[in-house]
Amino acid sequence: MATDTNAKERFTDAELEEFKILIQQKIDKAQNDLDLIKSAYMNNGNNGTDDTSPTFKAFEEGSETMSKEANSALAIRQEKFIRDLRNALVRIQNKTYGICRVTGKLIAKDRLKLVPHATLSIEAKNMQ
């Protein structure tokens, strides 16, 4: 019997283990990136030169506010990404990982390697 993605109901334990390793690596990197974003946000970068360049102060304050807003948005997005990856680990543990939540079919392995937290097959994604 062929092991076609459409014929299989779920990924094998060995395949799930491969995805688990991939996802854990992505979580570690994402967490590291989040820590960098947060440290950049916490560090205001003020080197005590406020009194030496009063003409640029207004521009710096505006830039600093934009930078904090951008960092905040990045941090929120990164936290969501980490949450989605952790949810994928739960699906691996439950042996439901890689099953499209709309069609019930297996999501293509190539898609999961690129987007390991995907819960929709390309077919379902195109239906949206």
Side-chain angles (χ1 to χ4, degrees), residues 5-19:
T5 302
N6 293 331
K8 285 173 37 171
E9 290 183 22
R10 74 170 189 88
F11 287 109
T12 66
D13 289 349
E15 289 169 319
L16 290 176
E17 187 60 31
E18 284 177 44
F19 282 119

Side-chain angles (χ1 to χ4, degrees), residues 18-76:
E18 284 177 44
F19 282 119
K20 183 178 179 181
I21 292 166
L22 172 74
I23 291 169
Q24 192 56 60
Q25 289 170 343
K26 287 200 178 271
I27 288 173
D28 293 344
K29 183 184 181 323
Q31 187 62 56
N32 188 44
D33 291 349
L34 178 60
D35 293 343
L36 287 173
I37 292 166
K38 283 184 175 180
S39 72
Y41 180 78
M42 298 298 182
N43 181 11
N44 66 6
N46 186 346
N47 295 325
T49 58
D50 285 345
D51 58 345
T52 62
S53 58
T55 54
F56 296 108
K57 189 159 176 50
F59 293 117
E60 287 175 1
E61 286 174 353
S63 176
E64 193 173 301
T65 300
M66 270 182 49
S67 181
K68 282 186 177 184
E69 286 173 2
N71 277 347
S72 180
L74 273 175
I76 290 167

Side-chain angles (χ1 to χ4, degrees), residues 38-115:
K38 283 184 175 180
S39 72
Y41 180 78
M42 298 298 182
N43 181 11
N44 66 6
N46 186 346
N47 295 325
T49 58
D50 285 345
D51 58 345
T52 62
S53 58
T55 54
F56 296 108
K57 189 159 176 50
F59 293 117
E60 287 175 1
E61 286 174 353
S63 176
E64 193 173 301
T65 300
M66 270 182 49
S67 181
K68 282 186 177 184
E69 286 173 2
N71 277 347
S72 180
L74 273 175
I76 290 167
R77 186 172 179 203
Q78 198 69 359
E79 286 170 344
K80 181 187 180 312
F81 180 54
I82 292 168
R83 186 178 61 241
D84 289 346
L85 288 169
R86 287 193 174 131
N87 287 339
L89 286 179
V90 170
R91 290 191 302 278
I92 286 175
Q93 193 173 14
N94 296 339
K95 299 186 191 290
T96 59
Y97 177 79
I99 299 170
C100 176
R101 62 185 163 87
V102 172
T103 66
K105 297 176 185 173
L106 272 187
I107 299 170
K109 212 172 179 180
D110 290 341
R111 173 166 166 69
L112 289 172
K113 285 183 179 176
L114 292 173
V115 187

